[in-house]
Amino acid sequence: MKKFVAVLSAAAMMTSLAACGSTADTANTAASSAETTASAAESTADTAAADSYKVAIVQQLDHASLDEIRVAIEKELDAKAAEKGITIEYKDFNGQNDATTLNQIGTEVVADGYDAIIPIATLAAQCMTTAAESTKTPVIYAAISDPAAADLTDIDYVTGTSDALNTQSIMDMMFAVQPDIQTVGLLYSNSEANSTTPIAEAKAYLDAKGIAYVEKTGNTNDEIMTAASSMVGQVDAVFTPTDNVVMAAAAAVSETLTKGGIPFYTGADSFVTAGAFATCGVNYTELGTYTADMALDILETGVVPAYHVMDGGIITVNTETAAALGIDYSVFNDLAGQVVEVTTAE
């Protein structure tokens, strides 16, 4: 009987152990299945994230050059989204040339988790760079004439496109048309980093030729207009770099100088379509397109390259202004690979 009980007990223990083993196997299988499901879900989420991006486009202020760049950026983002079958959600912000407003935009953009920020113009780029410092959100700026002077170099999450101005080319244009110039007006904003280097280059060029120059600056539309008006009767030509403050008043400045018989040479073609006489610089639609492509490459690869300097050398002339001034600009054909004729935009 004792042996029989012992055998029954042993059998019961074996059955119990087998049941435990079966339960453990089932639990392990379930855990493995759950892990596989979670991994698949994570992979799906990663794929979805890679197929969808949020981009903030932050324009420093409204004016023709920056508007042209923004439109080109948006058009290219739309085109690339369609081409690649991905979603690119972008939103426009405008700082109205106010640092406080731009800083608020930067705080909002970073808090809302945008994948990339595209600021247009120097002050916007500086404010977005500061805002993104903690998150390292990629900042891909557009149209910074001198990134080094703007303290936008050697930052691992910041890059973009430069519309660096060839000041000597514009000065050469000026003297090719008007070889007897005695005095040149330099009109710019002393708060614009874009103007620092080209104004220094213009002074050096004029000093080397022994030509006098008159400097006038301003930081508001009224100040710029006062400065421009004061040059009438004092100078033979006026030069302004890619200065956003002056660009905001470009139409009125161009009209004042043209009525005074003074050719207005500038750093961007948008000045010329606003009524200025001529420029030698980059195409801002091409710049905006390149900036958008650069931003998407960074989003897809995670690699932030060095900034890119756009090719310039395109002379743009306002034919209406040239006629009003009585200037024959055919000499420009020998100074550039391409001369573009425009009229004043309404």
Side-chain angles (χ1 to χ4, degrees), residues 278-300:
T279 186
C280 181
V282 307
N283 181 298
Y284 279 114
T285 295
E286 291 178 3
L287 182 146
T289 301
Y290 193 103
T291 305
D293 289 341
M294 188 179 241
L296 186 55
D297 285 343
I298 291 169
L299 287 170
E300 292 182 325

Side-chain angles (χ1 to χ4, degrees), residues 81-120:
E83 175 188 324
K84 294 174 175 288
I86 60 178
T87 299
I88 303 177
E89 177 187 344
Y90 54 81
K91 183 176 179 180
D92 296 332
F93 300 85
N94 194 307
Q96 301 302 333
N97 210 34
D98 180 77
T100 300
T101 301
L102 286 164
N103 285 329
Q104 290 171 346
I105 291 171
T107 300
E108 177 184 344
V109 164
V110 170
D112 287 347
Y114 280 82
D115 299 303
I117 308 171
I118 304 179
I120 307 174

Side-chain angles (χ1 to χ4, degrees), residues 272-328:
V272 181
T273 55
F277 169 53
T279 186
C280 181
V282 307
N283 181 298
Y284 279 114
T285 295
E286 291 178 3
L287 182 146
T289 301
Y290 193 103
T291 305
D293 289 341
M294 188 179 241
L296 186 55
D297 285 343
I298 291 169
L299 287 170
E300 292 182 325
T301 67
V303 178
V304 180
Y307 73 86
H308 176 76
V309 179
M310 298 297 295
D311 293 332
I314 301 171
I315 290 181
T316 305
V317 181
N318 188 310
T319 56
E320 294 174 340
T321 303
L325 293 167
I327 292 178
D328 175 10

Side-chain angles (χ1 to χ4, degrees), residues 167 186 188 198-208 211 213 215:
T167 308
L186 304 177
Y188 62 100
I199 287 297
E201 292 171 343
K203 290 179 182 178
Y205 181 103
L206 296 170
D207 286 339
I211 303 296
Y213 51 84
E215 290 182 78

Side-chain angles (χ1 to χ4, degrees), residues 5-247:
V5 171
V7 170
L8 288 176
S9 298
M13 289 179 65
M14 291 293 290
T15 302
S16 175
L17 287 171
C20 288
S22 175
T23 302
D25 289 344
T26 302
N28 288 337
T29 301
S32 177
S33 177
E35 185 176 339
T36 302
T37 302
S39 177
E42 184 178 345
S43 176
T44 301
D46 288 343
T47 302
D51 290 343
S52 179
Y53 302 108
K54 285 177 60 178
V55 178
I57 303 172
V58 183
Q59 188 169 326
Q60 182 170 316
L61 73 161
D62 290 314
H63 72 56
S65 292
L66 306 192
D67 292 343
E68 181 180 347
I69 293 167
R70 173 181 50 74
V71 170
I73 289 170
E74 293 173 352
K75 184 176 180 180
E76 183 66 3
L77 290 177
D78 287 339
K80 288 297 183 183
E83 175 188 324
K84 294 174 175 288
I86 60 178
T87 299
I88 303 177
E89 177 187 344
Y90 54 81
K91 183 176 179 180
D92 296 332
F93 300 85
N94 194 307
Q96 301 302 333
N97 210 34
D98 180 77
T100 300
T101 301
L102 286 164
N103 285 329
Q104 290 171 346
I105 291 171
T107 300
E108 177 184 344
V109 164
V110 170
D112 287 347
Y114 280 82
D115 299 303
I117 308 171
I118 304 179
I120 307 174
T122 304
L123 181 58
Q126 291 168 329
C127 292
M128 295 310 108
T129 296
T130 300
E133 184 176 5
S134 60
T135 59
K136 307 299 181 186
T137 302
V139 175
I140 307 94
Y141 54 72
I144 308 301
S145 297
D146 192 340
D151 295 323
L152 293 170
T153 56
D154 300 322
I155 305 172
D156 58 7
Y157 59 95
V158 178
T159 188
T161 53
S162 171
D163 57 345
L165 193 63
N166 188 332
T167 308
Q168 180 174 330
S169 292
I170 296 179
M171 294 290 111
D172 288 345
M173 288 168 57
M174 187 182 292
F175 283 90
V177 170
Q178 300 168 267
D180 298 327
I181 287 177
Q182 300 297 312
T183 306
V184 173
L186 304 177
L187 177 64
Y188 62 100
S189 169
N190 50 24
S191 65
E192 265 287 318
N194 281 352
S195 293
T196 303
T197 297
I199 287 297
E201 292 171 343
K203 290 179 182 178
Y205 181 103
L206 296 170
D207 286 339
K209 292 180 73 71
I211 303 296
Y213 51 84
V214 174
E215 290 182 78
K216 297 290 182 178
T217 64
N219 291 309
T220 66
N221 279 10
D222 288 343
E223 290 174 356
I224 292 297
M225 283 307 305
T226 299
S229 297
S230 70
M231 287 185 171
V232 175
Q234 291 193 59
V235 302
D236 303 304
V238 171
F239 167 63
T240 289
T242 48
D243 190 300
N244 290 298
V245 176
V246 180
M247 180 60 227

